[in-house]
């Protein structure tokens, strides 16, 4: 039976969280298809691939070379397509990260197969045994289930943080297959010149367990300082709805939603955010949503786990103060 | 400099009430607009023309009504526009769409840069741009937030990535997709509106482009949408009542119980 595959993305030699999530989810799908699970990892000096085995991967195809250290999409596309052609997996999953959303479409196109973007639900159809891929569209107002009935592999990018990393079993046996990589055989027309870590030392939105997000209800740019304080004490990342970005209060990199970033933290604080569909599209898969809004009819309360109807200028400082007390 | 901008007409919004649970296709009603992200692509195309000279052409694949969107692009300052329009192209997925757009671009004067929006707000896939690059055999740069320089057949650009921004160089011709950060789209000028009114938008069909019909439309699309539904909120939310102090205390207790803080 053809295997289920995951693309295990690394960054600076460390596997990304989504790679662990995919290992767990891939195992579940492989079990229901009664087949094996393999991971493909491209990088240089990659740490912790055994972790993938412990999470349920049977075989890791590992390609290591200095050329693969950065996410060169031309090279990544060629490597992944070659491996897929050699082994013909039936399913290929990758994280819907910047990298995944940029190069996986090219992989799928070169293989002339289907691709579902940014999936939040995966199931095996009991009748046809094909992969049911559920994903948000129309800015999250609708969900669509997509299948790829004939072409193989069935390829999906999967939204990070939606699937949970399962328990790992260090005694699990798996195979690490080192695949030869001949750097002279690949060419690339792109070159990375510089990396600007302009979010500074701050917690990155995509990786944060907790996000404190502010909207138009904050009223003015300096009030983001108030949110920053709360974020800092929680070890959280700071985010924004669209209006504060449009008005230049905070950089675009902070924007959550259809036009901005897609996040799925353990806790999402929505402060002074009404909850327009385009905003919800970027955060509605968060585990716990805390909404603070003075308008009891704000749609954000429809998806909030905990809702506080009140003035955020009272609630937020109080919250920060209580957390400070507790930490002291 | 020869630039092609790919743009799509999308519904401004969908009314959920119009979508019964479990249908396989959505027919959103209401006003159709240029995909908001394509406004940035159009603006960047016009700016490149202003800076480097040459031509900028907007192309769209869609129904006859999409001509309106292309006219709006001309009103903004896009020189020429082409509509690829054929009933056989209906229900094309991203692979089929990118195939058609690639064949269309090959019919035009060879572009130096093809600009797409980051994603279309209907399907929300963001796949057409990279797949178009693949079908044209060109390099691709996603999420471009600033074009820094074009010289010696190379484009240097900033792109938005998970960690912040990268500066990347790519050889031309290339396909790029752009994010909102890249510019502020202009409004149509009076002169532009006049030009748009007079403009004749050529319409190319599948035979005009010599398309392989097995690669387009529903039959040429590897994916199928089997279900469309309104997302169900899985958890019943809880409103925390009382004084602000009590609300905050209840919240902290819940979060501590959930072991998330
Ligand atoms: C194509 C497209 C893409 C879009 N993409 C995005 C996107 O990526 N991200 C995004 O966020 N939006 C996006 N939008 C915009 C979206 O439709 C909304 O306009 C936006 O999300 C609203 O932001 P907001 O909730 O901060 O502001 P508002 O809707 O103005 O809400 C502010 C809220 O704050 C509350 N408030 C005010 N003062 C206080 C106070 N003192 N205490 C407590 N509550 C208070 C108000 O009751 C109100 O509910 C997009 C729109 C389109 C058309
Ligand atoms: N039918 C189409 N005609 C022209 N351009 C398109 C079409 N569909 C998508 N595009 C381009 O591809 C980008 C991404 O679209 P999508 O992959 O559908 O999210 C859009 O912003 C457009 O630039």
């Amino acid at each position: 039976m053809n295997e289920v595959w995951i693309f295990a993305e690394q960054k600076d030699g460390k596997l990304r969280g989504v790679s662990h999530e995919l290992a767990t989810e891939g195992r579940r799908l492989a079990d229901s298809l009664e087949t094996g699970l393999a991971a493909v990892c491209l990088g240089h000096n990659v740490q912790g691939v055994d972790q993938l085995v412990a999470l349920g991967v049977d075989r890791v195809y590992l390609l290591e070379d200095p050329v693969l250290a950065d996410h060169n999409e031309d090279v990544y596309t060629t490597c992944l397509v070659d491996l897929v052609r050699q082994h013909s997996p039936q399913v290929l999953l990758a994280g819907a990260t910047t990298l995944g959303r940029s190069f996986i479409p090219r992989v799928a196109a070169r293989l002339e197969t289907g691709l579902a973007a940014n999936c939040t639900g995966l199931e095996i159809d009991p009748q046809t045994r094909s992969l049911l891929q559920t994903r948000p569209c129309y800015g999250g107002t609708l969900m669509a289930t997509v299948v790829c009935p004939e072409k193989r592999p069935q390829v999906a990018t999967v939204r990070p943080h939606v699937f949970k990393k399962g328990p790992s079993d260090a005694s699990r046996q798996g195979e690490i297959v080192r695949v030869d990589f001949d750097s002279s055989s690949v060419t690339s027309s792109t070159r990375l010149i510089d990396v600007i870590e302009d979010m500074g030392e701050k917690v990155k939105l995509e990786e944060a367990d907790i996000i404190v997000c502010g909207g138009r209800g904050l009223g003015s740019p300096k009030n983001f300082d108030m949110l920053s304080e709360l974020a800092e004490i929680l070890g959280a990342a700071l985010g924004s709805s669209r209006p504060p970005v449009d008005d230049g209060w905070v950089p675009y990199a902070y924007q959550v939603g259809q036009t901005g970033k897609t996040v799925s933290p353990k806790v999402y604080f929505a402060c002074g955010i009404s909850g327009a569909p385009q905003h919800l599209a970027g955060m509605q898969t968060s585990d716990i949503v805390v909404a603070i809004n003075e308008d009891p009819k704000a749609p954000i309360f429809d998806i909030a786990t905990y809702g506080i109807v009140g003035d955020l200028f009272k609630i937020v400082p109080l919250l920060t103060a209580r957390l400070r007390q507790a930490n002291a | 400099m020869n630039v092609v901008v790919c743009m799509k007409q999308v519904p401004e919004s969908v009314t959920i009430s119009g979508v019964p649970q479990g249908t396989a296709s959505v027919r959103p009603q209401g006003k159709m607009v240029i995909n908001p992200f394509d406004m940035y692509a159009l603006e960047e195309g016009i700016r490149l023309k202003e800076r480097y000279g040459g031509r900028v052409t907007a192309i769209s694949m869609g129904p006859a009504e999409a001509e309106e969107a292309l006219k709006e692009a001309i009103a903004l300052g896009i020189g020429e526009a082409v509509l690829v329009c054929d009933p056989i192209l209906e229900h094309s997925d991203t692979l089929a769409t990118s195939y058609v757009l690639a064949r269309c671009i090959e019919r035009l004067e060879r572009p130096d840069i093809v600009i797409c929006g980051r994603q279309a707000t209907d399907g929300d896939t963001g796949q057409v741009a990279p797949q178009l690059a693949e079908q044209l055999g060109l390099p691709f740069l996603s999420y471009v937030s600033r074009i820094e320089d074009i010289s010696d057949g190379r484009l240097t650009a900033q792109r938005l990535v998970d960690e912040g921004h990268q500066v990347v160089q790519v050889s031309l011709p290339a396909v790029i997709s752009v994010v909102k950060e890249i510019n502020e789209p202009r409004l149509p000028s009076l002169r532009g509106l006049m030009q748009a009114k007079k403009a004749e938008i050529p319409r190319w069909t599948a035979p005009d482009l010599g398309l392989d019909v097995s690669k387009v439309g529903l039959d040429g699309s590897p994916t199928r949408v089997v279900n469309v539904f309104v997302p169900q909120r899985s958890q019943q939310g809880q409103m925390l009542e009382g004084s602000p102090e009590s609300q905050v205390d209840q919240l902290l207790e819940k979060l501590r119980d959930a072991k998330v803080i």
Side-chain angles (χ1 to χ4, degrees), chain B residues 6-8 35 38 59-61 97 101 116-117 119-120 125-128:
Chain B
C6 297
M7 54 171 275
K8 186 179 187 185
N35 173 33
D38 298 346
I59 66 168
S60 191
M61 170 182 123
T97 302
L101 294 176
C116 291
Q119 73 196 58
T125 76
Q127 290 173 182
V128 168

Side-chain angles (χ1 to χ4, degrees), chain A residues 51 54 110 189 232 237 272 282 308:
Chain A
Q51 182 64 39
R110 202 171 293 177
S189 36
E232 200 183 315
I308 295 182

